[in-house]
Amino acid sequence: MKIIIINSGSSSIKYQLINMPTQEVICSGMIDRIGLDTSNLTYVTSNTKLDESLLIANHKIGLEKIAQLLMDDRIGVIKSTQEIDAIGHRVVHGGATFSNTVVINEEVKEKIRQLFDLAPLHNPANLEGIDVAQEIFATAKQVAVFDTAFHQTIPVIAYKYAIPSKLLTEKKIRVYGFHGTSHKYVSEKAIEYLEKSSKIISIHLGNGCSMTAIQDGKSMDHTMGFSPSNGLIMGTRSGDIDHSLIFYLINTLGYTPTEVNNLLLKESGMLGLTGYSDLRDIESNAEKGNVDCQLALAMNAYRIRKYIGSYTAAMNGLDAIIFTAGIGENSSYIRKLVCTDMDYFGIEIDMEKNEIRSKEIREINTLTSRTKIMVIPTNEELEISNQVYNLLLN
């Protein structure tokens, strides 16, 4: 079964063509910095590696470009769209409706559309990916895998907000949790590596950032909440703020609700602090002495450290922390800022190991560290492929 996985992030598209059940990756790649002045495209097969810098204005253009490459006469890997059996789509918010992987129909699409307001940077891009894929790969089964599904095990003590209970029972307002596909994948890899079910904190750092407390393989708490805007400082999202700020902006400073929403989701975070949303640009300028960039990186790490402390308390212990996703896997600078002076929690980073680049699971802690510090490359595409295959097989 040939399955194309489409993973649309807020500013990126990762994709893989996987042959199941062998898990052979026929083709893979990504487009990042979507909507910025210059986007980066990669396309990799067994005998081709293409890297391009070009303008990709939105996700629709990006998906059309990927489809062209897959069927290119010279470097393509399929002759016809009919060779594709299924398309697996990562969908960020499933709300209270979706707790499992589902075959996409018009009703599912409408439910995803109804959740736009809860994940405005993601669900619209996810649905656009579905629509474009249905046009291009008309004979393939379209399947949705929801980021919220892994977090269904969060206990009520953690997912219920301290607001009138009827808003939970009648309106389903609660913590849902996100990046679940990634947190599930890396935590299972960690448990396999450690050879025991442990108390783990998974730290997913990309343009969107989140942390999950995982005990015995189950999600117990998560930094994001009702929508993927809470918690850590992100590329353009503020993360945690005092909710009174929203009313102050509207009632005193004259902002409209739409302007506030745009401010907190698209103009804040690292972009609001530095003028840059891409961490590579921020680190580069910090190294050149940019004080705003230096402070933003320190604030970013400080927020992560606070959640490590709170989740360690919530689980009454900590066996390992995991760094994953684009920033978590590649930024030794952020990992160093997070793990320095954390010996009270048994976290001791080995600075030399931290600088080593690898695509394998690795430890970057000292030999005397009580807590494992692990870098585990996430593979949301493989996790989605497994779920799609198992759904269609049954």
Side-chain angles (χ1 to χ4, degrees):
M1 185 184 293
K2 288 182 179 177
I3 303 173
I4 295 176
I5 306 304
I6 296 175
N7 182 350
S8 295
S10 54
S11 63
S12 65
I13 303 170
K14 290 193 286 185
Y15 63 94
Q16 288 188 16
L17 173 56
I18 300 175
N19 195 18
M20 293 294 289
T22 63
Q23 299 186 351
E24 174 199 2
V25 178
I26 299 169
C27 172
S28 65
M30 75 175 296
I31 302 173
D32 67 2
R33 299 170 65 95
I34 292 173
L36 300 181
D37 292 338
T38 303
S39 305
N40 303 314
L41 178 148
T42 61
Y43 172 83
V44 181
T45 68
S46 59
N47 52 21
T48 302
K49 183 171 182 180
L50 177 67
D51 289 288
E52 283 188 43
S53 293
L54 66 170
L55 176 63
I56 303 289
N58 54 51
H59 286 72
K60 184 175 188 297
I61 293 171
L63 287 164
E64 289 172 343
K65 178 66 175 178
I66 291 166
Q68 290 170 10
L69 290 169
L70 289 172
M71 294 184 288
D72 185 87
D73 289 338
R74 185 173 60 85
I75 59 173
V77 290
I78 57 174
K79 298 292 185 184
S80 165
T81 59
Q82 294 185 347
E83 294 180 41
I84 303 303
D85 298 292
I87 312 290
H89 298 270
R90 174 200 178 212
V91 180
V92 165
H93 211 312
T97 306
F98 302 108
S99 58
N100 294 299
T101 300
V102 297
V103 175
I104 296 168
N105 55 27
E106 289 304 314
E107 182 182 359
V108 170
K109 288 169 64 175
E110 180 55 32
K111 293 288 187 182
I112 293 170
R113 186 177 291 107
Q114 289 172 10
L115 293 165
F116 276 11
D117 287 345
L118 303 188
L121 298 183
H122 300 88
N123 271 37
N126 301 154
L127 184 58
E128 188 170 48
I130 291 167
D131 287 336
V132 174
Q134 286 180 324
E135 290 177 15
I136 298 171
F137 302 98
T139 61
K141 288 279 189 183
Q142 308 284 332
V143 178
V145 177
F146 295 91
D147 261 5
T148 46
F150 177 61
H151 301 296
Q152 294 298 306
T153 55
I154 293 176
V156 63
I157 195 173
Y159 76 64
K160 185 174 182 179
Y161 290 115
I163 56 178
S165 292
K166 66 180 181 180
L167 291 173
L168 171 61
T169 56
E170 296 176 11
K171 303 300 182 182
K172 310 302 181 186
I173 296 176
R174 52 161 288 181
V175 169
Y176 284 104
F178 301 91
H179 294 142
T181 308
S182 175
H183 288 295
K184 180 177 186 291
Y185 178 84
V186 298
S187 62
E188 288 176 351
K189 289 294 181 183
I191 290 168
E192 181 182 325
Y193 178 89
L194 296 169
E195 298 182 338
K196 63 176 181 177
S197 291
S198 306
K199 295 175 180 179
I200 295 168
I201 297 174
S202 173
I203 308 170
H204 176 108
L205 303 177
N207 192 262
C209 303
S210 68
M211 293 169 61
T212 303
I214 300 166
Q215 189 166 350
D216 297 327
K218 296 180 179 179
S219 174
M220 304 303 292
D221 205 345
H222 183 74
T223 54
M224 289 174 167
F226 182 62
S227 75
S229 58
N230 207 48
L232 305 181
I233 298 171
M234 306 178 226
T236 64
R237 285 168 271 175
S238 66
D240 290 341
I241 62 160
D242 179 348
H243 61 267
S244 296
L245 173 62
I246 296 170
F247 301 102
Y248 180 78
L249 288 167
I250 293 171
N251 297 329
T252 304
L253 300 186
Y255 283 72
T256 67
T258 299
E259 288 171 338
V260 172
N261 191 56
N262 191 66
L263 173 73
L264 296 177
L265 294 180
K266 298 182 180 180
E267 298 174 2
S268 296
M270 301 301 275
L271 177 64
L273 293 170
T274 69
Y276 305 99
S277 63
D278 193 296
L279 196 89
R280 290 166 291 192
D281 297 329
I282 297 167
E283 285 192 9
S284 175
N285 282 279
E287 289 173 0
K288 296 173 184 175
N290 185 307
V291 176
D292 289 339
C293 290
Q294 291 170 351
L295 176 59
L297 290 168
M299 290 171 63
N300 190 307
Y302 179 76
R303 185 79 58 88
I304 295 168
R305 288 153 60 96
K306 285 208 300 183
Y307 272 106
I308 289 174
S310 65
Y311 286 169
T312 301
M315 294 189 292
N316 191 28
L318 181 62
D319 296 305
I321 63 173
I322 302 167
F323 287 96
T324 194
I327 293 170
E329 294 166 30
N330 296 305
S331 176
S332 59
Y333 190 89
I334 284 290
R335 294 194 300 262
K336 179 178 71 173
L337 285 180
V338 170
C339 295
T340 300
D341 295 329
M342 291 284 278
D343 50 291
Y344 185 82
F345 295 94
I347 296 171
E348 297 177 3
I349 190 168
D350 185 310
M351 295 302 181
E352 290 186 8
K353 291 180 183 176
N354 184 42
E355 294 298 330
I356 296 171
R357 291 230 173 195
S358 173
K359 293 184 178 179
E360 304 299 320
I361 296 174
R362 65 193 189 277
E363 294 181 26
I364 59 171
N365 49 273
T366 65
L367 294 176
T368 58
S369 179
R370 297 194 314 276
T371 299
K372 298 287 188 186
I373 308 171
M374 305 177 70
V375 181
I376 303 181
T378 193
N379 195 332
E380 293 168 295
E381 292 74 29
L382 181 57
E383 178 63 32
I384 293 169
S385 184
N386 286 331
Q387 293 190 37
V388 170
Y389 179 75
N390 291 332
L391 175 70
L392 297 181
L393 195 65
N394 295 323

